Amino acid sequence: MGGETDFWHDVSNHMPMARKPRDWDTYFIDLARQAATRSSCTQQHHGAVIVNNRHVRSTGYNGTPSGFGNCDEGACPRGANGDQAQPCVGLHAEANAILYADPGQREGATLYITKQPCLECAKLIANSGLREVVVPQPPAGEPSDAKEFLLDCKVRVRFV
């Protein structure tokens, strides 16, 4: 074989590779982070994944409605110049994930999101059939109005 390394060489002298811990929460939060990379928002990228019985049912990211121009193309008044006083025409990641999942897929499911939801999204979550929200640990001092609202609505909230 003229010095080429044979792919099927004897591996009996090699130690098995250490396996990374298999953590479902980390896996699904990472998928939400990946969904966030699709966002065209010029202000922030946010992602969401709806999971039921360890199966992804829907994903979402923040951005403008279908058929409307993208934020990074100047279609959003706020995104065009970064002026927070201007209206935002984008939908939040949670709303998009909920919209693209059938009601039966949402019933009793878990929503993984890249940051705490706003109060408007918390209302959608509470009425969607979702029973749990999993969020990365927020920075100290970040308001938790939506968390308290969700807990009042019997939706479990976990920080990982």
Side-chain angles (χ1 to χ4, degrees), residues 64-91:
T64 57
S66 297
F68 199 81
N70 287 323
C71 295
D72 58 5
E73 297 167 343
C76 177
R78 183 179 295 172
N81 58 22
D83 182 0
Q84 295 298 313
Q86 294 293 316
C88 172
V89 297
L91 293 166

Side-chain angles (χ1 to χ4, degrees), residues 129-145:
L130 294 166
R131 289 293 150 240
E132 181 179 41
V133 175
V134 179
V135 189
Q137 189 67 38
E142 186 172 306
S144 61
D145 295 345

Side-chain angles (χ1 to χ4, degrees), residues 108-132:
T110 299
L111 175 70
Y112 289 86
I113 50 181
T114 55
K115 64 178 270 187
Q116 288 191 79
C118 67
L119 189 55
E120 291 302 311
C121 285
K123 293 177 200 177
L124 293 174
I125 293 165
N127 267 10
S128 69
L130 294 166
R131 289 293 150 240
E132 181 179 41

Side-chain angles (χ1 to χ4, degrees), residues 35-93:
T37 67
R38 295 283 308 147
S39 175
S40 68
C41 181
T42 60
Q43 307 298 304
Q44 64 179 340
H45 294 187
H46 185 43
V49 177
I50 294 176
V51 176
N52 202 339
N53 295 320
R54 294 189 183 152
H55 292 272
V56 174
R57 302 303 181 185
S58 178
T59 64
Y61 52 89
N62 60 317
T64 57
S66 297
F68 199 81
N70 287 323
C71 295
D72 58 5
E73 297 167 343
C76 177
R78 183 179 295 172
N81 58 22
D83 182 0
Q84 295 298 313
Q86 294 293 316
C88 172
V89 297
L91 293 166
H92 290 187

